[in-house]
Amino acid sequence: MSNYKYNLNFRIEKRKSFKDGDELPINADITFCGKRIFYFIGHRVAENQWDKDAQTVRRNNFNQAGVSASDIKARMSRIRTAVDSVFSTMEHLGITPTPNSVREALRKELAEEKVTRKTVGEYYRMLIDERDEERRVDPKTAKWSKPTSTKHNTILTRLNEFRRTLYFEDVTVELLEKFEVFLIQKNLTNAYVTQLMKSMKGFFNWATKKGYNANLAFKDYTPKFRDDSKKSGRSNRFPLTIEDLEAIKAFQTPSHAIDRTRNVFLFCCYSGMRFGDAMQMRWCDIINDCVDFVAEKTNQRIAFPLNNFLRSILAKYGPAENPEDRVFPQISNQKFNEQMKIVGQLAGLTDDWKLTRQVGNHVDEKIVPRYAKLSSHLGRHTFTSRASSLGAPSETIRSITGHTTDKMMGNYVHLSMKDKQGLMDKLDGSEPDDVKANVEPASVYDFAKTKNDERALQRMLSIPAKKEYFAQVEKDPVMAQLHLAVYLWNIEGAAAASKYIDRLPKTRLSEFYQLLAATQSWKR
């Protein structure tokens, strides 16, 4: 019977590496048969919160993870009961207790895996490195795309800022809520923080399946801050209408870069492809008049037939010299989005748009020109919204976009008042006329029929010869709109110039008036 006698005390563990103010782990100190083991109970407290004589946490205290003294005491009581059960079972079965057998039996009694001394951040780095290696070896079968990896790296960076020495056993619902508040205080929007926390839950699930984590508290966490910015019924994203698309098609520009950006964007608007997939598309992905590819983000195979408009865009870049060549000239997402603002200005998307942004409980609203919200991903929103407004079945739309559920696809559907008006018109038997867009001049040189006309333009606007002028416009596309506004004001009047004036950034209006005044003097 002497083999089964044991003694249990609770102590805080002090090490030389700990600094003043650090929380100290609470260990169960178990002695038996001249042997001793320490078992970490899963909680830490500051030294001044620990009652050494009573071997417990002082009342009315909370540790940095937000766990109360009563919850820690309940955990200690559970361990005391488990220790008693372990030694009683060993005595009943005639098993001689050893440090390893007691420790393993205690883990099983508490339904816990081995407690690691690696931090949560260290395990998070293991996951990110594992996914990056998968993408390096074979991007087509990798579980994460590069943007997904970037997002998890962001979470890890913020997590290390929040608490570098965080262990799985420290994680509670209260701690995750504090981390959420920490992210909000970094001026991140509620919607973005919700995405990050959802991704972080994915990491915890991975760690649990791998056996690194036995603490399931994360499953009970739900975001504390909601995104109420959409309660007004107006989303920050808007689909382009058929009029918008026709305006983008119609404007002329001598800039090859702007043409390329416009073509890629329109291809996404009429196909539903992500910008990244359009950039990765190769000529070998176009088979039997269909685009057949594997989506970079989801590794899902997607196929859809071409229509006449998509064929016309591809014709500008084909035929392919090598089937492995990419269809479109390459451009970064950041540069593409910068050029999309210019595309929007040239297409006349200058009307106001209310932008809402919620951080914590505060909702900010500001008015921006609509072209300022143009981005690569808007093409996908436009395709889904237009297809839905045309009455296409959701299954058909999802087979092209790759959305797996109607709920996911619903995030991309934004019906305009005109879409709703179209439905109402159809209900009473009337439909609006088709919109016909006029082809606009690319520059003032479109008005010059002869060399004398060109020289007159050069004197009037103080511009160089055509070749040099187009080289300047390539670098500054807005300049072409500026000169068109001034020229038409002089030739046809203010009304003819108004739409070009409306497209000018506010920072260029003073330049317009100065040039207009100079041309007025020239006319006199």
Side-chain angles (χ1 to χ4, degrees), residues 120 208 268 354 358-359 415 500 502:
V120 171
T208 302
C268 293
K354 182 183 290 185
Q358 183 171 359
V359 178
L415 299 183
Y500 296 99
D502 290 341

Side-chain angles (χ1 to χ4, degrees), residues 64-242:
Q64 291 179 7
V67 183
S68 66
S70 59
D71 287 340
I72 295 175
K73 289 178 181 179
R75 171 66 173 170
M76 293 164 66
S77 177
R78 172 77 181 92
I79 289 176
R80 188 179 295 278
T81 301
V83 170
D84 184 66
S85 175
V86 164
F87 282 93
S88 296
T89 300
M90 285 185 168
E91 181 178 11
H92 176 72
L93 297 176
I95 300 173
T96 301
T98 65
N100 284 338
S101 65
V102 170
R103 189 181 296 277
E104 291 301 318
L106 189 54
R107 287 176 188 142
K108 290 180 180 179
E109 183 68 19
L110 293 168
E112 295 174 344
E113 297 291 337
K114 182 179 180 180
V115 177
T116 176
R117 300 321 300 156
K118 282 186 177 179
T119 65
V120 171
E122 288 171 328
Y123 274 116
Y124 215 146
R125 174 49 57 197
M126 285 175 56
L127 170 61
I128 295 171
D129 290 345
E130 180 180 302
R131 296 291 182 260
D132 286 348
E133 178 64 14
E134 290 173 352
R135 193 171 64 255
R136 187 191 67 78
V137 173
D138 188 355
K140 292 183 178 180
T141 60
K143 294 183 177 68
W144 285 1
S145 64
K146 189 174 181 179
T148 301
S149 183
T150 299
K151 178 172 61 176
H152 283 279
N153 270 305
T154 298
I155 299 171
L156 178 56
T157 299
R158 298 299 188 187
L159 185 63
N160 285 333
E161 291 176 13
F162 174 68
R163 191 171 305 172
R164 185 172 291 276
T165 56
L166 178 68
Y167 297 89
F168 281 123
E169 53 266 28
D170 298 332
V171 175
T172 63
V173 170
E174 293 80 8
L175 180 131
L176 293 175
E177 288 176 347
K178 286 184 177 180
F179 182 52
E180 181 185 355
V181 171
F182 173 82
L183 294 175
I184 295 291
Q185 290 172 341
K186 294 289 184 181
N187 202 34
L188 303 177
T189 65
N190 293 6
Y192 184 55
V193 169
T194 297
Q195 289 182 13
L196 294 183
M197 297 303 289
K198 181 179 179 181
S199 297
M200 189 176 181
K201 267 192 166 184
F203 155 69
F204 279 115
N205 278 318
W206 170 85
T208 302
K209 290 178 181 178
K210 287 282 190 177
Y212 303 139
N213 172 48
N215 180 1
L216 303 182
F218 72 92
K219 291 183 176 292
D220 296 325
Y221 161 79
T222 55
K224 181 178 179 181
F225 290 94
R226 303 291 183 179
D227 184 13
D228 297 323
S229 63
K230 298 184 181 64
K231 284 188 175 179
S232 62
R234 194 174 194 190
S235 170
N236 284 337
R237 292 193 182 275
F238 56 87
L240 296 180
T241 64
I242 185 64

Side-chain angles (χ1 to χ4, degrees), residues 15 28 73 213 276 292 321 325:
R15 297 178 182 173
K73 289 178 181 179
N213 172 48
D292 191 335
E321 293 183 4
D325 287 344

